[in-house]
Amino acid sequence: MASEKYMESLMEVASDYELMSNEMFRLAHKLEDMPRYNPHHEMYSLVRNAEQATVRLRGLAARTDWANAAALYETVSDAMGIRVTEEPKWLKITLPAILPKRNPRDNTLYLARPLRSCLLRFQAADPIERFEKCVICIVHKYDLALGVRRVRDYDNIETKRYLDVIESVFLTNDSGLLCTVLQTTQMSDCDATEFYLMLPESLPEWAGKYIKSDT
């Protein structure tokens, strides 16, 4: 297990975390000197780097004991707050934060593997019949306290990889003839992304509850 290549990888990940720590201290001091400074770009860069480093760290941890890799992702999904809630007319899947931008440098495994682990665990404990026809509504929630300028266009948010995971567990077929995907945005008290799975006939009721009109 303590091979030279493994140890080098471990040191590289440690260096990545150290660099991120130094960058956060630098930003904290900059904000102290310039309270009106907005570290938007630096923070998103840090998030991207943290996700990539965390995925690599998980892989290194899994290599120490493949038999417990599934348990590792179960623990990770719990820690990240990924959860499935069965409501009377739809299934709700919650992810803890806004999904990453569509960018080749963003590693979607950061959320995809823990998400799949959570969905499979739900199906094993409380199996539901797979949807033959389905509407999936995605609600992008943004923390209102952080301002509305953070709201992104839908075509700049990665959703396909997560939809693929959800469809592989809960749908019989993800054909466009059988599955409809809709997106909406809400200001909230925290960042989150919610996926609602329902039969097509439940959509009007869901829309009436979750899509508010100004008129």
Side-chain angles (χ1 to χ4, degrees), residues 79-92:
M80 295 178 74
I82 300 174
R83 60 186 182 275
V84 184
T85 307
E86 188 173 6
E87 300 185 0
K89 293 190 176 181
W90 42 74
L91 196 67
K92 176 182 175 182

Side-chain angles (χ1 to χ4, degrees), residues 198-211:
M198 68 199 75
L199 296 173
E201 55 265 30
S202 297
L203 178 59
E205 182 178 344
W206 183 91
K209 184 175 181 179
Y210 289 95
I211 301 179

Side-chain angles (χ1 to χ4, degrees), residues 123-180:
Q123 275 289 59
D126 188 18
I128 65 170
E129 185 177 352
R130 287 175 177 258
F131 290 87
E132 182 177 355
K133 293 184 178 181
C134 183
V135 175
I136 302 178
C137 297
I138 307 172
V139 180
H140 302 282
K141 290 190 170 184
Y142 293 83
D143 190 336
L144 181 60
L146 299 178
V148 298
R149 296 186 66 178
R150 300 171 62 242
V151 177
R152 303 203 304 264
D153 295 339
Y154 299 129
D155 59 1
N156 288 327
I157 303 175
E158 175 58 62
T159 58
K160 183 181 184 305
R161 182 69 185 93
Y162 307 102
L163 284 171
D164 286 344
V165 173
I166 292 170
E167 291 162 354
S168 71
V169 177
F170 289 122
L171 274 64
T172 59
N173 191 309
D174 62 357
S175 165
L177 295 175
L178 301 175
C179 181
T180 299

